[in-house]
Amino acid sequence: AALVAAATGEKREMEYPRKADGKPKYPSEIFGENVFTLKTMAKALPKPIFASFLKQRRGRQNLDKTTADSIAHAVRVWAMDRGATHYTHWFQPQTGSTAEKHDAFLSLVTNFTPGGEEVTPIDQFSGGQLLQSEPDASSFPSGGMRTTFEARGYTIWDTSSSMYVQRGPNGTSILYIPSVYISYNGDALDEKTVLLRSNSVLSRAAATLVNLLEPDAHVSHVYATLGTEQEFFLVDRKMYSLRPDLKIAGRTLVGQLPPRHQQLEDHYFGRIPSRVLNAISEMELECLRLGIPIKTRHNEVAPAQFEVAPIFEEASVAVDHNLQTMDVLHKVAHRHNLRVLYHEKPFKGVNGSGKHCNWAIATDRGENLLDPTVRPETNYRFVIFLLAVLRALHEHAPLLRVAISSSSNDHRLGAQEAPPGIISAFLGDQLNEVLDAIEENRPIKNFSVPQFQSIKVGGTILDLKVSGLPHIARDLTDRNRTSPFAFTGNKFEFRAVGSKQSPSFPVTVLNCAVTAAIREITDALRAQMGSKQAPSDDDKLVVIRKFIKLTKAVRFEGDNYSAEWAAEAARRGLPNIQSTPEAFTYLVKDKHVAMLTKETGIFTETELRSRYHILNERYAKDIIIEAETLKTLVAQQILPAAFDYRKSIAESAAALAVLKVDAGPEVSALEELTPLVSTLQSELKLLSAAVADLVATEDADANEHAQTACNVVVPAINRLRDAADALEIVVADKHWPLPKYTELLLTI
């Protein structure tokens, strides 16, 4: 019935907004219409109040009560004109998701008169309510910083991120106030607080270096830019509802690949199914209204897998917009009777999903500091900032591995579809040649091949040898999809980030590591230049050559999946971190703790230890949830189905024997089925025992607990799955209790 409904169900259609004359609105006319932008705020506030807010936003003064009350009144009127009945402080606890609590604008004013009590309803929103709220800090992950009897926490409005309204129930809307989340003692309990701190220290360090290199630059602010490529699966919601493993664990814990899946390589960039295109188009419209600049949509490698990607923005805004996009897509998919799956590996055997984070740094003059320009070999500012990123990777690669580690991303990393556990950087032949030539003090090699291409300023031109086709400009670098950290023209692509995780922590760690490297290079330049006003080109080249040598080990242009690279990386001294619990141990190693706390001040030691505990605890809990779900699935659905099928074969064989007809095929089928059922039962018992032992030791050291989950329970899960998948092949389809991969992947 679910399969029929998926194939024949009514498709949702949406009318695109139109102007008064009936013509469709341009996307630019819709963009940000539900966002309380600075421009909107300026129109709604008196000029002195708005000027006061801008000073606070730039960190020059605190937000006074008069300004806060004025903004609160203006945003309430604006939001209620758009149907808002409630407001919420929207924040990012360390759960991998977002959190919100809705409070109504409705208030009651009580007056006591001679005739008795008189209650008057009013709509009210004060500056105090705008600035902060108080969630229960003991109900979110805190790593021991908060307990039930120390439950107070605060959400505080992040003035760098605009408020917005989003569609609510029954034609209403909700005002969302982007916020940070801290404990009663001021410790960061969320992902955003540390991201904002890292943006600030990166800005100061990078601006100092730019102004040292170019004293006339007068750069006051530098910011990280980010573009997140969000991958996901879409499946029919009715099919999804029949898979307990998808609902509970986010991935299929049993299931065999259909005969055709992604092996023909025909899904990537193929025609988007009409049902999916309708859903993504509606999601894009909602995002437009929220000021989220979605630029690209396309099919991904696996069946039922897709990607959307935005235009680059300032990093903290880009993170907010990525999390909003995930939320909007979830809601819109529901309207289309689809379910979005953000798990990194919801289906075994086909491509997993990532969130490629394209990261760069730019000045307040709009200059990208990672733009190689026409002649990178003489653009010493570019080379120095490139080396700062390489130095960050070389010194703190394990921290980047920590930042992308989870039980779900483990299924994807190193699986010939995502980067392995060795963090290296790909620069491309031309930039490698630039660095090698500078190091060796020699001219740069010519990359032109006259019979096929000619040199063009800033790159090369490819001649396709077809008169009717235009010449095209070729990029400075090829793309290495096996690299975890690849330079792609004017930015780095951090490809190892998982699809369902918030980009906040990976970007925070990257910002921190680059900040430390920038400061190290700045100190080296100052030591080299001595008392001079600015470093000479010779001073710059001395420092550049030093850091080229220091970072050479982290540069790799080849196949990151190969065994040869693993051996070479070991010779270079690069860590090869194989599992998530192993990665977590690096978060509390002295070298990395010092960088994250004393050197950059992004974390306190308490916050760092808390995060370490949360990460380990979350990993073990995820594995226990998967194991318990698989146990239930096998015991209550798969084994009974196998017994029923076995019984039907046995009854058929017995009936044939009574009729003195050869029952050899039925007996043969039983003989094939019986050991598979026995193996499944045995593996179920082994998994049950492994889970019981893990649960019994939950009070042990957090990382030891996670290591046990990884080394004992995960293999038991895999063995039980293998046994169940072997049964799926031989059990008749009408007896199998779950929608198979064919129905899940090929019916949208």
Side-chain angles (χ1 to χ4, degrees), residues 12 14 34 82-84 100 102 164-176 282 285-286 289-290 327-328 331-332 334-336:
R12 174 183 168 87
M14 177 203 66
N34 286 345
R82 287 157 178 76
E100 57 194 68
H102 300 176
Y164 59 95
V165 293
Q166 198 166 3
R167 189 163 91 171
N170 306 314
T172 65
S173 298
I174 301 158
L175 173 65
Y176 280 75
E282 185 172 345
L285 177 59
E286 298 257 351
R289 289 172 171 148
L290 294 172
D327 180 57
V328 169
K331 293 173 180 176
V332 170
H334 190 84
R335 297 173 206 157
H336 289 259

Side-chain angles (χ1 to χ4, degrees), residues 641-651 670 673-674 677 735:
F643 293 154
D644 284 346
Y645 181 53
R646 190 162 173 254
K647 177 183 176 184
S648 69
I649 296 175
E651 289 175 346
L670 273 175
L673 185 63
T674 298
V677 175
H735 287 272

Side-chain angles (χ1 to χ4, degrees), residues 242-245 248 252-255 625-644 676-688 716-728 731 735-738:
L242 297 174
R243 291 287 310 221
D245 47 358
I248 298 171
T252 53
L253 297 173
V254 296
I625 288 169
E626 287 194 358
E628 294 288 359
T629 303
L630 182 56
K631 281 170 49 186
T632 302
L633 203 61
V634 168
Q636 297 184 7
Q637 294 196 48
I638 295 175
L639 272 174
F643 293 154
D644 284 346
L676 296 178
V677 175
S678 297
T679 299
L680 187 66
Q681 284 183 309
S682 299
E683 293 298 343
L684 177 59
K685 291 178 182 177
L686 292 173
L687 176 59
S688 298
I717 289 173
N718 293 337
R719 291 193 301 270
L720 183 56
R721 178 187 184 133
D722 289 343
D725 289 351
L727 264 178
E728 183 182 322
V731 172
H735 287 272
W736 196 252
L738 304 168

Side-chain angles (χ1 to χ4, degrees), residues 13-30:
E13 296 289 341
M14 177 203 66
E15 181 68 25
Y16 193 79
R18 295 184 177 274
K19 304 176 187 178
D21 60 5
K23 293 180 180 178
K25 285 186 176 181
Y26 292 175
S28 59
E29 296 175 302
I30 303 168

Side-chain angles (χ1 to χ4, degrees), residues 29 40 62 135 145 155 162 184 305 320 361 499 570 668 690 694:
E29 296 175 302
T40 305
N62 292 326
M145 286 198 293
T155 54
S162 297
Y184 180 68
Q305 188 186 33
D320 280 1
I361 37 180
S499 55
S668 177
L694 180 63

Side-chain angles (χ1 to χ4, degrees), residues 518-528:
I518 288 173
R519 288 176 176 174
E520 184 182 2
I521 291 174
T522 301
D523 291 343
L525 271 171
R526 284 179 170 149
Q528 180 63 33

Side-chain angles (χ1 to χ4, degrees), residues 321-340:
H321 281 171
N322 174 252
L323 297 174
Q324 287 173 250
T325 299
M326 295 172 71
D327 180 57
V328 169
L329 183 54
H330 170 80
K331 293 173 180 176
V332 170
H334 190 84
R335 297 173 206 157
H336 289 259
N337 289 315
L338 294 168
R339 177 72 185 197
V340 62

